[in-house]
Amino acid sequence: MDSHHAINKSNISGGDICLADSATTHTILMHKYFLNMRMMNAKVNTISDSTNLIEGSRRANIIFPNRTRFVIYNVLFSTKTRKNLLSFKDIQLNRYHTETVNENGIKYLYIVSNVSTGKKILEKLLVLSLGLYYTSISTIKVNAIMNQKFNEPNNFII
């Protein structure tokens, strides 16, 4: 059985594609994942040259298909990025670990948590033919209820 997959809609359960990259030093996400952003210009060194790719950075909150939540500090933003990249460093900073496994001929990258009863598998990322693992991510939706006016305690807005 071929253990490499192509990215298609049946492999992604909503959200945007995110590649787990052990070579990147920072997570790079699209704009919609940022709570607010500190704009800046920064150069990125690539194999071929140095280029101005980074336009901002800040904290981001993301959620994975199995509801695993990540808070990532110092996430980089670039309008030129076509894929979200998740740094292995940020997986570890969220107190999770990674394991590569072969399950019935299919390769996965597990994101695991150590709990009192042992290891808990939180997420299973599939592998592409290039050797990169991928999953989908979404924004964490938050609803807040607050008083519309202090002098009208029964008036609320959502």
Side-chain angles (χ1 to χ4, degrees), residues 131-144:
L132 292 172
Y133 293 91
Y134 73 96
T135 188
S136 66
I137 59 171
S138 302
T139 58
I140 297 174
K141 294 178 178 36
V142 177
N143 295 318

Side-chain angles (χ1 to χ4, degrees), residues 87-106:
S87 162
F88 275 44
K89 174 188 76 172
D90 288 323
I91 294 171
Q92 293 172 344
L93 288 173
N94 275 272
R95 297 187 175 154
Y96 301 127
H97 306 280
T98 58
E99 293 180 11
T100 54
V101 296
N102 189 326
E103 214 178 84
N104 299 323
I106 300 172

Side-chain angles (χ1 to χ4, degrees), residues 23-122:
T24 187
T25 58
H26 288 79
T27 295
I28 301 173
L29 297 176
M30 295 176 189
H31 185 268
K32 70 181 182 181
Y33 293 99
F34 291 87
L35 298 176
N36 54 31
M37 191 171 321
R38 178 179 55 236
M39 301 309 287
M40 66 178 190
N41 287 319
K43 290 189 180 275
V44 173
N45 294 323
T46 63
I47 293 172
S48 58
D49 64 354
S50 181
T51 183
N52 285 337
L53 283 176
I54 304 305
E55 300 161 53
S57 72
R58 207 41 138 194
R59 186 180 87 170
N61 294 323
I62 59 174
I63 193 163
F64 285 78
N66 290 337
R67 313 304 296 160
T68 304
R69 294 172 182 241
F70 273 62
V71 176
I72 306 172
Y73 298 91
N74 200 23
V75 178
L76 302 179
F77 165 68
S78 172
T79 55
K80 296 175 182 121
T81 189
R82 295 190 320 254
K83 298 282 186 271
N84 296 299
L85 294 177
L86 176 64
S87 162
F88 275 44
K89 174 188 76 172
D90 288 323
I91 294 171
Q92 293 172 344
L93 288 173
N94 275 272
R95 297 187 175 154
Y96 301 127
H97 306 280
T98 58
E99 293 180 11
T100 54
V101 296
N102 189 326
E103 214 178 84
N104 299 323
I106 300 172
K107 291 182 183 178
Y108 292 98
L109 177 74
Y110 284 173
I111 296 178
V112 299
S113 175
N114 292 323
V115 293
S116 59
T117 57
K119 175 179 67 174
K120 181 178 179 185
I121 299 167
L122 302 172

